[in-house]
Amino acid sequence: MVRQDSRRSVLRATADAGFGLWFVLVFTILTLLCVMCIAILPGLHRRQRVVAKFARGVFLFTGSSPACTGMDILPDGPVIVVANHASYLDGILMTAVLPPRFSFVIKSEMSRVPLAGFLLRRIDSFFVDRGTKSARSTGQARQIITAARDGRALGFFPEGTFRHEAGLLKFYNGAFSAALAGNMPIVPCAITGTRAMLAADHRLPRWGRLSVTLLPLIEVDKRDPDQTVAVLRDQARNAILAHCGEHDASDVTLPKPGSPAPSSA
């Protein structure tokens, strides 16, 4: 029995490694092709459509296309989608499933990643400094609010980051401030499966089942005194918490960006 269990473990590890290497190969090839295309392709909407197709291709060619529910909830006009964040795969996944008209709000560290930073800038992503109140971060917030007032479709990961351990972290206010400023409806989105496929401490993805569930739309009316940033934030977070399959980790305190990691001693 011990030998049989050991053999199964070896087979599973081999299968996981094979899938992970195949996923990385597919992702690398498609990313390089995508970057070459959008480097020369004129027009923001054309570039956004191309990136969405390449993102869908990553999951299609690796046999891990997500199950999507509630896509009919999305309005055709301005909207803000907020999703939980559990893995580096989340951004690719949301690019694959949402209409290509969406622009994403992303942590500023991604702007310095080779190829990824270039690609994200070419599709008009917004970069924000997490947890700071500098003049630069204030300017970034103004850009996002201006985009909301202009009626853009925006995607946010309001946790701002993710960690290896499961659990829905507290939400930052930026998405909900933008929703009020632009009088834009909010659609909460629950992602499941990405943490199991590529946890923060894993280098290679493992095959798994992915799902994206769009939850009932939250209407926003900035004339309503009861609709504050905190109320909208908590309403969206509670909806995601009920569907993401993870526990409430709002009491977890994460180190500020750029600060040293706590000692394990």
Side-chain angles (χ1 to χ4, degrees):
M1 180 64 71
V2 173
R3 183 176 298 178
Q4 187 175 4
D5 290 343
S6 177
R7 186 178 301 170
R8 287 177 179 173
S9 296
V10 171
L11 289 174
R12 178 58 189 268
T14 302
D16 285 342
F19 173 82
L21 292 171
W22 173 244
F23 191 101
V24 170
L25 178 63
V26 169
F27 176 77
T28 301
I29 292 173
L30 291 182
T31 298
L32 291 174
L33 291 172
C34 184
V35 168
M36 287 189 288
C37 286
I38 67 169
I40 60 174
L41 192 65
L44 173 61
H45 296 300
R46 289 178 181 173
R47 294 194 294 269
Q48 288 175 323
R49 286 196 296 270
V50 165
V51 171
K53 288 180 180 179
F54 275 102
R56 288 193 290 271
V58 169
F59 298 101
L60 176 64
F61 293 128
T62 58
S64 54
S65 294
C68 299
T69 306
M71 290 297 161
D72 56 329
I73 290 173
L74 278 178
D76 293 330
V79 62
I80 286 180
V81 170
V82 294
N84 56 305
H85 199 13
S87 169
Y88 286 113
L89 295 175
D90 294 332
I92 309 167
L93 183 63
M94 295 301 287
T95 302
V97 302
L98 289 179
R101 61 191 175 92
F102 274 82
S103 296
F104 291 90
V105 180
I106 302 166
K107 60 185 180 181
S108 60
E109 293 96 312
M110 291 301 298
S111 67
R112 298 187 288 273
V113 177
L115 294 183
F118 171 77
L119 188 153
L120 291 169
R121 283 190 290 271
R122 287 289 284 171
I123 58 173
D124 204 25
S125 300
F126 295 91
F127 299 100
V128 295
D129 293 310
R130 295 180 291 121
T132 66
K133 296 183 179 180
S134 64
R136 179 183 175 185
S137 64
T138 301
Q140 293 166 343
R142 288 199 190 103
Q143 287 181 336
I144 295 168
I145 288 175
T146 298
R149 286 174 174 160
D150 289 343
R152 300 276 293 276
L154 301 174
F156 286 79
F157 296 105
E159 290 168 278
T161 189
F162 60 91
R163 57 184 190 140
H164 167 64
E165 296 84 358
L168 188 67
L169 301 172
K170 67 179 182 180
F171 279 11
Y172 288 97
N173 291 335
F176 311 99
S177 296
L180 269 180
N183 216 37
M184 299 168 69
I186 299 168
V187 175
C189 174
I191 298 172
T192 62
T194 54
R195 193 188 303 276
M197 182 175 280
L198 184 61
D201 61 346
H202 290 172
R203 293 188 176 185
L204 291 177
R206 301 173 179 176
W207 187 86
R209 298 187 184 278
L210 304 176
S211 72
V212 176
T213 304
L214 296 187
L215 303 168
L217 180 144
I218 300 171
E219 294 286 359
V220 174
D221 184 355
K222 61 183 177 182
R223 297 170 299 179
D224 183 350
D226 293 329
Q227 278 202 331
T228 65
V229 169
V231 167
L232 293 172
R233 179 196 66 208
D234 293 345
Q235 189 176 352
R237 188 177 182 278
N238 289 337
I240 293 172
L241 184 61
H243 291 84
C244 70
E246 298 193 353
H247 66 275
D248 186 349
S250 57
D251 59 341
V252 172
T253 301
L254 297 176
K256 292 183 179 180
S259 63
S263 171
S264 59

